[in-house]
Amino acid sequence: MADFSIISDVSNEVLKLLRENICPELIQSPESIALAAPTDKNADFQLGLYLYDIQELREYQNLDMIRLRGNQAQYPPKPLNLFFALYMNTKSQMMSNVENEQRILGRAMQVLMDHAILYETAENDETSASITLLPMSYEEKTKIWSVLSIPYQLGIYFSVAPVLLSSRRIRSFKRVVAAEFDVSQRQR
């Protein structure tokens, strides 16, 4: 569970993973793999990581409050599913040949599959964030690119979930210190 920066933290963790496992074998500089929207005018990177959607994961919904110190409880975190596209930057000055681009994408896919568990939370191993390759149709992929007004580009589409976004909402409560029960029976 993490604060509002968790979305950025997950993106940076995926970026770090790709940089550590692709550079310098296929891409010379780690800065050539970047968090970037396909609409970016910056052409200084070869491989772009783009977060294109965030959805709530209702099946992981937890309704239990989290007990804090004293007489306080925190509202439960929201489980999220982050959707990414990993794509070659066709505007890059460093573009290589098609065969090398396919090697880069193949290696990137291998890295994502080999590191399917992105991280584990210290509090509860059941909430490990996993990387899942998405089985999207060509039409679904082209819709992403058409919304951006960019021609379709080959890419790898994957999600990371569950990502737990903590709540800052805290509720105070009073402890029960005494209870009184009447156990007398009624006669009919």
Side-chain angles (χ1 to χ4, degrees):
M1 186 171 61
D3 207 8
F4 64 89
S5 67
I6 189 64
I7 296 168
S8 173
D9 294 345
V10 168
S11 296
N12 283 310
E13 188 66 27
V14 173
L15 183 65
K16 178 182 167 198
L17 184 66
L18 292 166
R19 285 176 170 174
E20 288 174 352
N21 290 280
I22 295 176
C23 301
E25 182 183 357
L26 295 171
I27 295 178
Q28 293 301 311
S29 168
E31 290 76 30
S32 294
I33 304 172
L35 291 174
T39 54
D40 260 350
K41 302 293 184 220
N42 180 4
D44 292 358
F45 63 94
Q46 283 181 273
L47 189 61
L49 179 63
Y50 175 55
L51 175 66
Y52 69 88
D53 196 14
I54 302 170
Q55 295 178 8
E56 182 178 359
L57 271 174
R58 297 205 182 262
E59 56 268 22
Y60 283 94
Q61 191 74 27
N62 181 4
L63 301 176
D64 297 332
M65 300 285 283
I66 300 166
R67 291 223 25 203
L68 301 174
R69 294 178 191 207
N71 295 339
Q72 293 187 323
Q74 183 179 23
Y75 281 79
K78 280 285 185 211
L80 304 174
N81 194 354
L82 308 182
F83 294 87
F84 292 93
L86 190 60
Y87 65 96
M88 298 300 299
N89 181 13
T90 57
K91 297 177 219 149
S92 173
Q93 304 297 324
M94 303 173 280
M95 282 307 291
S96 53
N97 61 37
V98 174
E99 185 179 351
N100 195 39
E101 290 174 17
Q102 291 174 4
R103 285 187 181 130
I104 292 169
L105 288 174
R107 180 67 182 127
M109 188 176 290
Q110 189 179 50
V111 168
L112 294 174
M113 290 185 318
D114 286 350
H115 298 89
I117 304 297
L118 190 58
Y119 66 85
E120 294 184 16
T121 60
E123 302 152 8
N124 185 353
D125 289 341
E126 293 174 18
T127 55
S128 299
S130 300
I131 296 173
T132 305
L133 298 177
L134 300 174
M136 297 173 66
S137 69
Y138 179 74
E139 289 77 23
E140 291 171 314
K141 293 174 186 177
T142 55
K143 282 180 187 177
I144 294 169
W145 295 97
S146 65
V147 166
L148 298 169
S149 301
I150 295 176
Y152 171 79
Q153 293 181 40
L154 183 62
I156 300 167
Y157 301 84
F158 64 96
S159 68
V160 178
V163 173
L164 300 178
L165 178 63
S166 65
S167 173
R168 287 192 171 176
R169 208 167 144 204
I170 295 175
R171 187 175 93 194
S172 296
F173 60 89
K174 292 185 181 186
R175 293 179 184 254
V176 176
V177 289
E180 217 173 281
F181 299 96
D182 183 9
V183 290
S184 61
Q185 293 182 328
R186 289 185 180 175
Q187 297 290 328
R188 287 186 185 209

